[in-house]
């Protein structure tokens, strides 16, 4: 792809690692765009970087001497894009397993033009194959979030360059949860995050096994813990609510009931499944209230995943704090 095009105000950064045909579909969805594209590859072994070379303006191959993270990939992609096209005012970030809706960029640009205090604009991300597995279905449900002013975005979003630079971009050390952490810093600096009711991307999660669901939940726990730790001194409690919930339900509660059963009798252990059932029912009812059009079966699957996922998340929390304590380099938690 020629790098001599007039880029206008917007450029695109795509990140990926061994996405194969998903990456090709992603880049094909961007081909009609007149905007410059940078692809950042995190050590792929499937020829992704070579495949992308003929479809984008520039390819960045991350140095394996430093740990791969999506945050680092996006930062280096943005740096290359702005080096090649310094006049850009907006950057669209896209994950390499996503297909961009053809009408999205125009809608996102319009919101930025009408709202100068907005740093990030995002829309509806949908799962490409929600019926392929309950895990894909859960992803689609997770991404169905309220529109309007939001706390954070996912991995696909349109960001104002001035705002992105003002907070020094992503924290490259985060192995997950880097988008909410970036948005937290943007909101703390007075910027807004806007989620609009328009299609943005189709995502190919490709989660077919419980082990993948477990690793994804573990990664979320790690992200909560790292985000809470990074901002523990600012007094605003970023991510601590999630961390406390994980520790209470998956560690403190069962340990407390076990201890009491040793003192007062084993029948107390019967309270443990009752407590988790009560939590699942509470999540289920809350989901039914917020998502009236959702089926009972979907709400039940979601509620079950929340309860089961807390145990995987605890492992992620423990892994973060252990690595912090022993000063061990953190590694990606991959579920694909």
């Amino acid at each position: 792809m020629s790098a001599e095009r007039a880029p206008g105000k917007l450029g695109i950064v795509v990140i990926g690692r061994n996405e194969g045909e998903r990456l090709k579909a992603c880049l094909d969805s961007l081909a009609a765009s007149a905007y410059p594209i940078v692809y950042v590859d995190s050590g792929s072994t499937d020829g992704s970087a070579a495949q992308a070379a003929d479809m984008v303006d520039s390819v960045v191959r991350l140095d394996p001497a430093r740990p791969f993270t999506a945050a680092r990939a996006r930062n280096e992609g943005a740096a290359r894009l702005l080096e090649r096209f310094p006049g850009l005012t907006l950057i669209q970030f896209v994950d390499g397993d996503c297909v961009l809706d053809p009408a999205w960029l125009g809608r996102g640009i319009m919101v930025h033009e009408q709202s100068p205090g907005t740093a990030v604009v995002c829309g509806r991300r949908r799962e490409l194959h929600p019926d392929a597995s309950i895990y894909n279905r859960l992803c689609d449900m997770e991404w169905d979030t309220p529109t309007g002013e939001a706390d954070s975005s996912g991995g696909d979003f349109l960001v104002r360059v001035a705002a992105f630079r003002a907070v020094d971009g992503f924290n490259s050390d985060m192995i997950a949860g880097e988008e909410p952490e970036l948005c937290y810093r943007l909101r703390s600096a007075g910027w807004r995050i806007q989620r609009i009711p328009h299609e943005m991307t189709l995502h190919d999660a490709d989660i077919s096994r419980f082990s993948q669901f477990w690793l994804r939940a573990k990664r979320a726990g790690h992200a909560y813990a790292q985000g809470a730790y990074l901002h523990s001194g600012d007094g605003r409690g970023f991510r601590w609510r999630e961390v406390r919930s994980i520790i209470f339900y998956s560690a403190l509660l069962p340990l407390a009931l076990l201890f009491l059963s040793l003192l007062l009798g084993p029948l107390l252990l019967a309270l443990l499944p009752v407590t988790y059932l009560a939590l699942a029912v509470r999540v289920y009812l809350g989901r039914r209230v917020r998502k009236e059009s959702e089926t009972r079966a979907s709400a039940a699957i979601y509620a079950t995943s929340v309860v089961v996922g807390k145990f995987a998340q605890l492992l992620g929390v423990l892994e973060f704090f252990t690595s912090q304590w022993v000063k061990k380099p953190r590694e990606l938690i991959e579920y694909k």
Side-chain angles (χ1 to χ4, degrees):
M1 182 179 288
S2 171
E4 299 305 319
R5 297 171 301 155
K9 65 177 67 177
L10 186 147
I12 302 170
V13 172
V14 180
I15 65 169
R17 173 178 166 87
N18 291 326
E19 294 296 350
E21 287 302 310
R22 289 186 293 267
L23 176 63
K24 184 177 185 304
C26 173
L27 298 179
D28 281 343
S29 75
L30 305 174
S33 142
Y35 304 115
I37 305 167
V38 169
Y39 169 66
V40 186
D41 191 81
S42 296
S44 293
T45 57
D46 65 350
S48 287
Q51 174 182 247
D54 293 331
M55 305 179 72
V56 301
D57 294 274
S58 183
V59 173
V60 178
R61 294 174 173 85
L62 294 185
D63 184 350
R66 291 176 55 204
F68 296 132
T69 67
R72 177 190 166 203
R74 294 192 186 107
N75 279 343
E76 295 201 20
R80 173 68 63 84
L81 186 67
L82 294 172
E83 176 187 331
R84 296 283 297 274
F85 304 96
L88 298 180
T89 58
L90 298 170
I91 296 176
Q92 173 71 47
F93 288 106
V94 185
D95 288 349
D97 55 3
C98 292
V99 172
L100 196 71
D101 185 276
W104 165 252
L105 292 176
R107 289 167 174 161
I109 290 171
M110 185 180 301
V111 174
H112 272 294
E113 289 176 342
Q114 296 173 349
S115 179
T118 292
V120 168
V121 178
C122 54
R124 178 69 161 100
R125 175 194 261 198
R126 294 188 187 274
E127 169 53 33
L128 183 61
H129 303 294
D131 298 324
S133 71
I134 60 170
Y135 310 113
N136 281 9
R137 188 172 168 188
L138 282 167
C139 287
D140 195 63
M141 294 165 68
E142 175 187 319
W143 298 324
D144 187 10
T145 53
T147 57
E149 190 160 347
D151 287 342
S152 64
S153 70
D156 310 321
F157 61 89
L158 183 60
V159 66
R160 194 180 300 274
V161 170
F164 188 75
R165 281 175 160 165
V167 297
D168 297 323
F170 289 97
N171 183 327
S172 293
D173 292 332
M174 295 199 73
I175 69 169
E178 65 280 354
E179 305 96 345
E181 194 276 335
L182 169 68
C183 290
Y184 175 78
R185 288 185 283 115
L186 285 166
R187 288 188 293 109
S188 297
W191 294 94
R192 292 192 299 274
I193 315 300
Q194 297 285 344
R195 188 180 301 277
I196 62 175
H198 293 291
E199 301 300 309
M200 180 178 60
T201 49
L202 283 173
H203 179 276
D204 188 1
D206 194 25
I207 304 178
S208 58
R209 302 184 305 277
F210 177 78
S211 59
Q212 292 175 284
F213 162 81
W214 185 266
L215 286 172
R216 189 170 183 266
K218 178 183 176 182
R219 189 180 71 162
H222 190 289
Y224 292 145
Q226 189 171 12
Y229 177 82
L230 285 172
H231 297 285
S232 58
D234 63 12
R236 299 179 64 184
F238 178 67
R239 292 303 203 192
W240 278 114
R241 180 176 178 273
E242 292 92 340
V243 172
R244 285 195 298 266
S245 176
I246 292 165
I247 293 173
F248 175 77
Y249 282 107
S250 57
L252 294 182
L253 178 61
L255 288 174
L257 287 176
L258 177 61
F259 177 73
L260 288 174
S261 71
L262 294 175
L263 293 178
L264 304 175
L267 286 178
L268 275 175
L269 285 178
L271 290 175
L272 197 56
V274 173
T275 302
Y276 289 123
L277 178 60
L279 172 62
V281 169
R282 190 181 74 178
V283 174
Y284 169 84
L285 293 175
R287 185 80 185 178
R288 291 286 291 162
V289 169
R290 294 192 304 273
K291 303 290 181 183
E292 294 180 357
S293 62
E294 195 170 86
T295 66
R296 290 184 177 90
S298 292
I301 290 170
Y302 180 85
T304 302
S305 75
V306 169
V307 176
V308 174
K310 286 192 181 296
F311 294 93
Q313 289 170 352
L314 177 65
L315 295 181
V317 169
L318 293 175
E319 183 172 300
F320 168 75
F321 284 112
T322 299
S323 64
Q324 192 69 25
W325 181 49
V326 301
K327 302 190 183 307
K328 175 187 173 183
R330 288 180 281 275
E331 298 178 354
L332 284 177
I333 301 175
E334 297 184 278
Y335 61 88
K336 286 189 178 180

